Amino acid sequence: VAYNPDLDQIILSCRSFNELIVIDHSTTSEEAAGHTGGRSGMGGDILYRWGNPSNYRAGSMADQKFFLQHDTRWIQKGMPGEGSIMIYNNGNRRPAGNYSSIDVIVPPLNENGTYHIKVGSAFGPQELEWGFVAETPTDFYSSFISGADRLPNGNTLICSGSEGIFFEVTPQGKTVWKYLNPFEVPPRGPEGPYSVFRVTRYAPDYSGLSRLWD
């Protein structure tokens, strides 16, 4: 789950449905139970969805883009690509083989906070704004958890969660550093001994770290 304060909307990663959905956060409980009201005027209706148009009869399995994805989020304001949506696409049972990717899309946002869709068609876009896969795609694969975040310099921080590997890539896909979590945790089901749910970059001047430097 992620929140966009500028749009007052919530994005949900529906992993088992292989899609993301966006809903209006500004509604009252009563409005959310219907189809009118809120900033969007659509009440509790889904404003936008992407990743598997067969879920709403606007495509087939051949049009599916997500494969048990995690960590759908808007790129934060002030970051390169702000307003786009970034997804860690785990890649389980991907037709071309099991491999993960970082997918970034530009949603078709209207000025009133709704999303454009052509009648009888799926929500756009048709293509990614940016994406990352390994040079040999299967070299980068985490079947569960994981995440990615856009950094101020335009690079992307990636957590390959099941392996406990963190790395940063440039917009051109070059890895500039890589780190393996050395702290073993008890295995839980399919999780590996070094698995990590997600990572976040904190700058040296982050307020939560200030007391460490005193």
Side-chain angles (χ1 to χ4, degrees), residues 7 9-14 19-24 40 42 44-52 56 65-66 72 74 83-87 104-110 113-117 122-128:
L7 298 174
Q9 295 176 0
I10 293 173
I11 191 169
L12 306 171
S13 175
C14 302
E19 71 173 346
L20 63 83
I21 67 172
V22 175
I23 58 175
D24 194 338
S40 66
M42 295 175 61
D45 288 351
I46 294 173
L47 304 182
Y48 177 64
R49 58 201 303 179
W50 200 84
N52 191 9
Y56 54 104
K65 305 295 185 183
F66 290 161
T72 61
W74 281 281
S84 297
I85 296 174
M86 178 177 285
I87 308 98
V104 176
I105 61 171
V106 178
L109 184 66
N110 298 318
T114 60
Y115 295 81
H116 175 73
I117 182 171
F123 280 104
Q126 295 295 319
E127 303 293 336
L128 301 179

Side-chain angles (χ1 to χ4, degrees), residues 1 16 21 42 44 50 68 70 80 88 99 109 118 150 161 166 178 185:
V1 178
S16 296
I21 67 172
M42 295 175 61
W50 200 84
L68 300 180
H70 277 81
Y88 189 104
Y99 66 90
L109 184 66
K118 185 178 179 181
R150 180 59 49 81
F166 322 143
K178 186 175 184 178
V185 296

Side-chain angles (χ1 to χ4, degrees), residues 7 41 105 129-130 140 150 183 208:
L7 298 174
I105 61 171
E129 179 189 33
W130 182 83
F140 169 46
R150 180 59 49 81
F183 301 101

Side-chain angles (χ1 to χ4, degrees), residues 90-172:
N90 293 75
N92 302 41
R93 299 189 293 274
R94 197 191 293 257
N98 290 342
Y99 66 90
S100 297
S101 62
I102 308 302
D103 299 345
V104 176
I105 61 171
V106 178
L109 184 66
N110 298 318
E111 290 185 2
N112 65 353
T114 60
Y115 295 81
H116 175 73
I117 182 171
K118 185 178 179 181
V119 176
S121 299
F123 280 104
Q126 295 295 319
E127 303 293 336
L128 301 179
E129 179 189 33
W130 182 83
F132 170 79
V133 296
E135 186 173 348
T136 301
T138 52
D139 286 347
F140 169 46
Y141 177 56
S142 176
S143 63
F144 60 100
I145 56 178
S146 311
D149 194 17
R150 180 59 49 81
L151 303 177
N153 64 359
N155 290 355
T156 300
L157 176 63
I158 300 171
C159 171
S160 185
S162 63
E163 304 169 299
I165 296 175
F166 322 143
F167 60 105
E168 180 179 333
V169 299
T170 66
Q172 293 75 37

Side-chain angles (χ1 to χ4, degrees), residues 156-202:
T156 300
L157 176 63
I158 300 171
C159 171
S160 185
S162 63
E163 304 169 299
I165 296 175
F166 322 143
F167 60 105
E168 180 179 333
V169 299
T170 66
Q172 293 75 37
K174 179 181 178 181
T175 300
V176 294
W177 66 264
K178 186 175 184 178
Y179 179 80
L180 174 63
N181 172 38
F183 301 101
E184 187 171 352
V185 296
R188 297 181 296 277
E191 299 181 17
Y194 302 101
S195 61
V196 176
F197 179 73
R198 193 167 63 195
V199 297
T200 301
R201 168 74 62 82
Y202 292 102

